Amino acid sequence: MRLTILGGGGFRTPLVYGALLTDHHERRVDEVRLHDVDGSRLEAIGRVLAQMGAGQDDAPTVLTTTDLDEALEGADFVFSAIRVGGLEGRTADERVALDLGVLGQETTGPGGLSFGLRTLPVARHVAERVRAVAPGAWVINFTNPAGMVTEAMQQVLGDRVVGICDSPIALARRAAVTLGLDPAGTRVDYVGLNHLGWLRGLHSGGRDVLPDLLADDRMLGSMEEAHLFGPEWLRTLGAIPNEYLYYYYFTRDAVASIRSADQTRGEYLLAQQRGFYEALARAGDDPYGEWDRVRRERNATYMQEARDEGQERGEDDVQGGGYEGVALAIMAAIARGEATSLILNVRSAGAVPGVPEDAVVEVPCTVDGDGPRPLAVSPLTTHQLGLVLQVKAVERLTISASATGDEREAVEAFALHPLVDSVTVARDLLRGYRARIPAVDAVFTRRD
């Protein structure tokens, strides 16, 4: 099989290739094509992958190209992991919002809408080229904001686009392991949107064991989510939220913490990755070692603003990968027709009561040779449904604005987001993003 990775010069590409090297199924990937608009990064990551595959006779062949059609042609699966505007764009996403006193974060809040505005036109173009040169391919979307991008690409390719995120699967796994259970033997009740969902139940032995976890101080206190939200808030909700809901439930705390730091997460990663790619050029015979060192450092500082000073991320979370395993599990299920269960971003198709059937949601799915099918879930609570519908409306306005260049729709999207507190601020956000990020400004100045 041929796998194409868009954004192949990105830092996380070796995670996917490493997972392929340990995949010994009969129908395995024998060729990987990496595409990126930055040839120097492609070359650097190619060196890391070459070291990883050295000495393995069956390691997938790696080809690199900056030509999109060449990368896509004949692909069986396409992983889309692009970052339009680079990390420089991310730092602007954060700072424009923070300067206006609202949350500045990569995918949540106004920063996520800015990221979406500049990414969606490129994602649609990718979908159109897949339809033209690889119509039989399945597209597995990693690109953030994942739910929004997946929904826009589905407008071109239909259900052959699947969005993935490792957060909900990792949450369910942590809960099961904390209870001393084998995650494979549990049934998960999780529902929401990408970066906005709740683990509402964990079924084992014919009953829901999540209340046992919520009631146990020792077990609950050992989980990362208890450090983020506090045990009492989890018990109040009667569920365990996705970690990104910290920005909704503790908005002022998050904004204050980010603003008090010397640099935002994006600024930290920008400096780190500039240093990484420079160091990689000097890494001699051990480019993989340099990559792995930076990976561990990067993981350890994830969502630092949500932890108390001096509090470190759990070692299991630092070591764990995630999204690459989810992607390969989808590939294996489709290629071999062996059913598996995963939490994915797919059309609701009636699975989530109260949510439009064509809206992309994040829910448990069965995946086999025909692709993923969402499993019906019990109704959301009033609070959950209200938040999901409001954010979904914002996502859809952003998708439309990115396609039409309609500034009014973009302002409406910013203004209606739960984390933006004024229409005036919404207008200032759009002005600020247009001034700071050329790819956002281009959405409203281009003429077809």
Side-chain angles (χ1 to χ4, degrees):
M1 289 189 297
R2 178 178 295 169
L3 168 64
T4 295
I5 303 178
L6 306 181
F11 185 80
R12 298 178 80 180
T13 297
L15 294 173
V16 177
Y17 193 69
L20 289 173
L21 292 176
T22 60
D23 175 30
H24 300 296
H25 300 301
E26 291 181 7
R27 289 197 62 190
R28 58 173 295 144
V29 171
D30 50 34
E31 181 180 291
V32 176
R33 293 192 178 186
L34 305 184
H35 172 270
D36 206 291
V37 296
D38 188 326
S40 63
R41 289 197 172 203
L42 266 182
E43 191 276 334
I45 294 299
R47 290 184 60 218
V48 176
L49 270 53
Q51 183 182 357
M52 294 172 70
Q56 297 198 35
D57 293 337
D58 58 349
T61 301
V62 178
L63 302 176
T64 62
T65 179
T66 56
D67 183 279
L68 180 60
D69 281 8
E70 181 183 1
L72 292 174
E73 188 174 4
D76 298 290
F77 291 90
V78 177
F79 290 179
S80 179
I82 62 176
R83 180 176 286 280
V84 179
L87 286 170
E88 292 85 356
R90 175 173 177 171
T91 64
D93 291 340
E94 296 166 336
R95 282 297 177 191
V96 168
L98 291 169
D99 289 347
L100 291 168
V102 295
L103 179 73
Q105 205 277 331
E106 178 189 21
T107 62
T108 302
L113 303 188
S114 171
F115 195 10
L117 281 171
R118 67 178 180 272
T119 302
L120 290 164
V122 179
R124 272 190 292 266
H125 174 68
V126 167
E128 289 163 357
R129 297 319 303 158
V130 170
R131 183 174 60 188
V133 302
W138 287 87
V139 177
I140 301 175
N141 178 55
F142 304 97
T143 299
N144 280 322
M148 194 189 305
V149 171
T150 299
E151 187 160 324
M153 294 184 79
Q154 284 192 352
Q155 293 173 357
V156 179
L157 295 171
D159 291 332
R160 295 188 78 83
V161 183
V162 183
I164 71 168
C165 180
D166 57 339
S167 291
I169 294 174
L171 167 57
R173 184 184 299 120
R174 278 195 297 275
V177 170
T178 301
L179 284 161
L181 300 172
D182 178 2
T186 61
R187 180 171 60 84
V188 177
D189 178 2
Y190 182 96
V191 64
L193 306 178
N194 180 240
H195 290 182
L196 196 159
W198 299 264
L199 177 64
R200 305 182 303 171
L202 190 67
H203 298 267
S204 176
R207 72 183 189 91
D208 182 7
V209 296
L210 186 63
D212 298 347
L213 175 57
L214 291 171
D216 190 294
D217 289 338
R218 181 189 60 81
M219 287 196 297
L220 187 60
S222 70
M223 289 190 65
E224 178 77 7
E225 286 72 21
H227 301 156
L228 292 178
F229 299 101
E232 286 309 310
W233 183 240
L234 300 183
R235 289 170 180 147
T236 297
L237 293 173
I240 303 181
N242 182 291
E243 58 200 344
Y244 283 86
L245 273 159
Y246 176 83
Y247 298 116
Y248 292 87
Y249 292 140
F250 294 88
T251 308
R252 290 193 181 200
D253 311 70
V255 172
S257 177
I258 296 170
R259 295 184 77 177
S260 67
D262 293 334
Q263 56 185 184
T264 66
R265 176 69 172 170
E267 289 163 349
Y268 164 78
L269 291 175
L270 178 60
Q272 185 201 55
Q273 291 205 19
R274 279 176 176 167
F276 162 71
Y277 284 101
E278 291 172 1
L280 207 56
R282 305 187 300 269
D285 295 331
D286 192 24
Y288 174 80
E290 178 64 20
W291 173 83
D292 191 53
R293 179 190 66 78
V294 175
R295 177 188 67 85
R296 291 170 182 269
E297 181 183 85
R298 172 188 175 121
N299 285 355
T301 58
Y302 179 68
M303 287 194 75
Q304 189 66 55
E305 67 271 12
R307 290 191 289 275
D308 295 332
E309 185 175 355
Q311 181 184 359
E312 297 182 354
R313 193 177 181 197
E315 183 63 20
D316 288 345
D317 287 335
V318 172
Q319 297 296 336
Y323 85 122
E324 67 281 0
V326 181
L328 263 63
I330 297 174
M331 288 176 55
I334 293 174
R336 299 196 309 274
E338 298 176 0
T340 190
S341 296
L342 296 165
I343 301 172
L344 301 171
N345 286 265
V346 297
R347 293 184 199 265
S348 172
V352 183
V355 175
E357 292 201 359
D358 61 344
V360 167
V361 293
E362 194 167 72
V363 292
C365 299
T366 295
V367 190
D368 57 22
D370 295 323
R373 294 182 301 280
L375 301 175
V377 298
S378 57
L380 292 154
T381 66
T382 303
H383 149 64
Q384 293 167 348
L385 181 60
L387 189 54
V388 164
L389 289 178
Q390 187 171 2
V391 173
K392 178 54 66 177
V394 167
E395 289 184 353
R396 292 188 148 187
L397 284 165
T398 306
I399 291 171
S400 179
S402 73
T404 64
D406 188 330
E407 291 186 59
R408 290 178 300 177
E409 282 189 316
V411 169
E412 186 180 2
F414 282 112
L416 294 183
H417 197 285
L419 299 180
V420 177
D421 55 7
S422 165
V423 175
T424 301
V425 172
R427 293 178 178 132
D428 290 341
L429 283 164
L430 182 58
R431 277 194 291 267
Y433 287 131
R434 291 189 64 179
R436 287 281 303 272
I437 308 173
V440 172
D441 187 55
V443 169
F444 304 98
T445 57
R446 71 177 186 268
R447 292 293 182 266
D448 295 332

